[in-house]
């Protein structure tokens, strides 16, 4: 499938003025036909991503549901990442396996039309720069999207925590270790790794909307989370899964390890980590992805 298709010719449409009856012209057209696999221009991609954000903001209740489901998909990816890396002793191999398992979460979100707050941070900012969205609508998109994603992810890990079973034992130990490592990073480390995360992730989102073929789009969507998980970065909604799962396993099954993680705003707290990573993700998605692409689009348009 392709994003664009030429409009069909209506039956009985008049031939071109210079066409001779009964003859087929062998002269190539003056304008080369549109290549269905040629990526869209940066300007077209910017407009398309901005339009997606505007569409979400104009349907607030649908956006709430899309955010809830998007959070579930991210938490599902976090669970799979922990499962495939459990028992793997080599850090590089464990990270590779985590990235491969987690990568499909963003593909599911983009292809199904669900919402992820970090994607909306970049897309909405492009709409603000394009002057198709007001700042207050952008604030709504970020705040409601964040709450919806966090709630959806918490619902999923709560179900998994209550289930126990295969999520206890070695996987619970792995989850506690990963959660403690993410929650235990110093402020500036966590903040900058969150910036890098959305630098990876939202560049891949822009490439998703720049590509025309389904295979290319899904490849770009897969690469973003694959890269940020392998790179050990910080993603606000993924961390709900990575930190929330050991906390909830310990809540329902006290024997399950939870490491040094807590729920609140204290040291190694889940809320503390979410606040830091939200700011870092916002900086990465807006200043390092949306703004450069928008500037490139404006500079290209001025030369036309």
């Amino acid at each position: 499938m392709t994003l664009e298709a030429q409009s069909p010719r209506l039956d009985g449409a008049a031939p071109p003025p210079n066409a001779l009856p009964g003859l087929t012209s062998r002269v190539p057209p003056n304008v080369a036909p549109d290549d269905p696999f040629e990526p869209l221009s940066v300007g077209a991609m910017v407009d398309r991503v901005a339009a997606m954000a505007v569409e979400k903001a104009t349907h607030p209740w649908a956006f709430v549901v899309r955010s809830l489901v998007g959070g579930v998909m991210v938490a599902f990816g976090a669970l799979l990442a922990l499962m495939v890396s459990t028992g793997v002793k080599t850090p590089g191999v464990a990270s590779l396996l985590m990235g491969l398992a987690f990568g499909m979460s963003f593909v599911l979100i983009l292809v199904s039309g669900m919402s992820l707050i970090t994607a909306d941070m970049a897309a909405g900012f492009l709409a603000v720069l394009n002057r198709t969205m007001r700042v207050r609508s952008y604030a709504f998109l970020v705040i409601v999207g964040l709450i919806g994603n966090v709630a959806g992810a918490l619902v999923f890990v709560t179900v998994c925590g209550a289930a126990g079973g295969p999520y206890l034992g070695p996987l619970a130990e792995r989850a506690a270790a990963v959660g403690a490592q993410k929650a235990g990073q110093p402020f500036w480390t966590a903040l900058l790794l969150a910036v890098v995360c959305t630098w990876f992730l939202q560049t891949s989102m822009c490439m998703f909307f720049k590509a025309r073929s389904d295979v290319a789009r899904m490849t770009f969507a897969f690469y973003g989370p694959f890269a940020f998980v392998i790179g050990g970065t910080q993603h606000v909604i993924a961390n709900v899964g990575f930190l929330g799962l050991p906390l909830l396993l310990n809540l329902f099954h006290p024997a399950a390890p939870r490491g040094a993680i807590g729920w609140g705003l204290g040291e190694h707290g889940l809320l503390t980590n979410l606040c830091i990573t939200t700011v870092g993700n916002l900086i990465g998605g807006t200043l390092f992805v949306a703004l450069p692409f928008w500037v490139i689009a404006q500079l290209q348009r001025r030369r036309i």
Side-chain angles (χ1 to χ4, degrees), residues 283-301:
I283 294 171
T286 55
L287 299 185
F288 289 88
V289 178
L291 183 60
F293 276 121
W294 182 81
V295 170
I296 292 169
Q298 299 308 304
L299 293 174
Q300 288 179 336
R301 285 165 177 164

Side-chain angles (χ1 to χ4, degrees), residues 21 37 49-51 75 95 103 117 121-122 145 151-153 166 176 211 225 235 252 262 275 286 296 302:
F37 296 103
V49 173
S95 296
I117 178 59
M121 287 173 175
H235 186 276
F252 289 105
C275 290
T286 55
I296 292 169
R302 289 179 184 178

Side-chain angles (χ1 to χ4, degrees), residues 40-265:
L40 298 175
S41 67
V42 173
M45 177 272 292
V46 166
D47 291 342
R48 194 159 182 261
V49 173
M52 174 194 68
V54 172
E55 186 272 333
K56 289 182 178 180
T58 54
H59 300 88
W61 288 111
F63 177 63
V64 170
V65 177
R66 292 161 83 171
S67 298
L68 288 168
V69 178
V72 170
M73 291 177 173
V74 173
F76 181 55
L79 174 68
L80 294 182
L82 291 171
M83 292 192 72
V84 299
S85 61
T86 297
V88 180
K89 303 301 182 183
T90 306
V93 176
S95 296
L96 175 63
L97 293 174
M98 291 181 72
L100 289 171
F102 194 94
M104 283 303 296
S105 61
F106 201 37
V107 177
L108 292 174
I109 290 171
L110 289 178
V111 173
S112 66
M114 297 301 110
S115 287
L116 180 61
I117 178 59
T118 47
D120 296 331
M121 287 173 175
F125 193 63
L126 281 174
V128 172
L129 293 173
N130 268 1
R131 299 182 180 179
T132 56
M133 177 182 288
R134 295 182 178 180
V135 174
R136 66 182 181 183
S137 297
Y138 178 59
F140 163 82
L141 206 69
V142 172
I143 294 171
V144 173
L146 177 62
I147 294 172
N149 277 173
V150 170
L154 280 175
V155 168
F156 181 82
V157 292
T158 299
V159 172
C160 294
Y167 309 135
L168 297 174
L171 186 139
E173 295 175 2
R174 171 66 176 165
V178 172
Q181 186 271 332
K182 288 184 174 294
Q185 290 177 339
F187 172 83
W188 285 108
T189 300
L191 181 72
L192 294 175
L193 287 178
V195 172
V196 173
C197 174
T198 39
W199 203 342
F200 277 135
L201 188 60
Q202 300 331 312
T203 298
S204 76
M205 178 198 71
C206 290
M207 295 300 98
F208 174 91
F209 284 101
K210 198 174 190 296
R212 293 196 182 187
S213 72
D214 288 341
V215 173
R217 279 182 284 174
M218 287 189 287
T219 300
F220 284 128
F222 177 88
Y223 174 76
F226 171 76
F228 89 66
V229 170
I230 289 182
T233 63
Q234 299 261 14
H235 186 276
V236 57
I237 308 305
N239 283 5
V240 175
F242 288 128
L243 277 67
L245 182 60
L247 287 170
L248 286 160
L249 283 171
N250 179 262
L251 178 65
F252 289 105
H253 312 277
R258 59 180 286 179
I261 312 169
W263 285 100
L265 289 169

